């Protein structure tokens, strides 16, 4: 929707930030190198351009842990964290995986303890790319033993917990619950534009983007009720992961401090 606002450059999921996160977490670069590269990377992404008056950067959920370092370097930027209800997030991700035979095969491997013993790298890399950067090390969760549902739950939990921790420590991060936003999209968008100091005259154009169904043809109906669609074992696994991160049970509403009031 932000791409409909005149003068707004939208940068979706820049690889540079993701790569830097993995390099630093894997200790392939030192802290001072990381901080310098991160600041330079953000400056390059947001470099002045006569065609644009503002830049909107949408990062991957797996790099939420970088937000603190970026905020320290650029405290005047506006930071927003949008997240979904845990069950809807997990089931939406599962539904996307089941749209193609290749990811379906990966899910089959991860959900089979026998096959995963023979091919352990599948679980390892799926956890690595979705959870590793944001994970808490003292949760007792072993990523190599998680099912597909467990890894997706851990990815959601780690990202949300990172943001909740930043809010607890006083960082000014605005949070938006997707379901609240979609209850009244136009009203929610109006509030969001006010938070970002974007003139209300651009509301109509931005709202038009909300009418576009980017997932057209993708069916989510089979996965909408997570607690019925999942096996008892998967639900228990998900709830245990969420508990380890100090979050509510699967499907229960969880509000991060500073949640924007959109009603």
């Amino acid at each position: 929707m932000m791409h409909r606002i005149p003068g707004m450059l939208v940068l979706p999921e820049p690889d540079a930030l993701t790569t830097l996160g993995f390099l630093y977490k894997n200790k392939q670069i030192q802290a001072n190198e990381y901080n310098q590269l991160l600041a330079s990377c953000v400056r390059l992404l947001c470099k002045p351009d006569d065609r644009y008056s503002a830049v909107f950067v949408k990062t991957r959920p797996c790099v939420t842990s970088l937000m603190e370092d970026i905020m320290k370097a650029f405290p005047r930027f506006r930071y927003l964290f949008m997240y979904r209800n845990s069950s809807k997030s997990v089931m939406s991700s599962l539904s996307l995986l089941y749209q193609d035979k290749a990811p379906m095969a990966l899910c089959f491997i991860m959900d089979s303890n026998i096959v995963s013993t023979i091919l352990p790298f599948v679980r390892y890399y799926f956890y690595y790319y979705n959870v590793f950067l944001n994970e808490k090390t003292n949760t007792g969760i072993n990523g190599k033993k998680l099912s597909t549902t467990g890894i997706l739950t851990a990815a959601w939990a780690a990202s949300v917990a990172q943001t909740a921790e930043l809010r607890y420590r006083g960082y000014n991060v605005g949070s938006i619950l997707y379901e609240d936003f979609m209850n009244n999209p136009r009203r929610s968008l109006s509030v969001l534009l006010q938070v970002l100091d974007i003139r209300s005259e651009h509301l109509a154009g931005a709202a038009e983007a909300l009418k576009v169904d980017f997932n057209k043809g993708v069916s989510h109906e089979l996965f909408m009720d997570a607690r019925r669609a999942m096996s008892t074992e998967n639900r228990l696994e998900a709830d245990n992961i969420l508990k380890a991160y100090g979050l509510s049970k699967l499907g229960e509403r969880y509000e991060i401090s500073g949640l924007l009031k959109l009603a």
Side-chain angles (χ1 to χ4, degrees), residues 61 64-65 67 81 83 134-136 138-139 153-169 241-248 254 256-257:
T64 307
S65 59
M67 186 158 47
F81 179 77
Y83 66 109
N134 294 332
E135 69 176 352
K136 285 186 176 180
N138 59 348
T139 58
T153 302
W156 183 91
S159 183
V160 170
Q162 282 278 351
T163 306
E165 175 67 17
L166 286 177
R167 285 291 309 179
Y168 177 77
R169 290 162 53 196
I241 291 168
L242 293 168
K243 182 179 180 180
Y245 276 91
L247 303 173
S248 305
Y254 180 79
I256 297 175
S257 171

Side-chain angles (χ1 to χ4, degrees), residues 124-179:
Y124 171 81
Y125 280 109
F126 195 65
Y127 183 90
Y128 178 79
Y129 285 111
N130 287 281
V131 188
F132 176 65
L133 289 182
N134 294 332
E135 69 176 352
K136 285 186 176 180
T137 56
N138 59 348
T139 58
I141 296 172
N142 185 347
K144 296 178 181 179
K145 294 185 178 181
L146 298 181
S147 67
T148 307
T149 298
I151 294 174
L152 292 174
T153 302
W156 183 91
S159 183
V160 170
Q162 282 278 351
T163 306
E165 175 67 17
L166 286 177
R167 285 291 309 179
Y168 177 77
R169 290 162 53 196
Y171 285 92
N172 188 20
V173 183
S175 55
I176 303 172
L177 188 57
Y178 176 80
E179 286 74 24

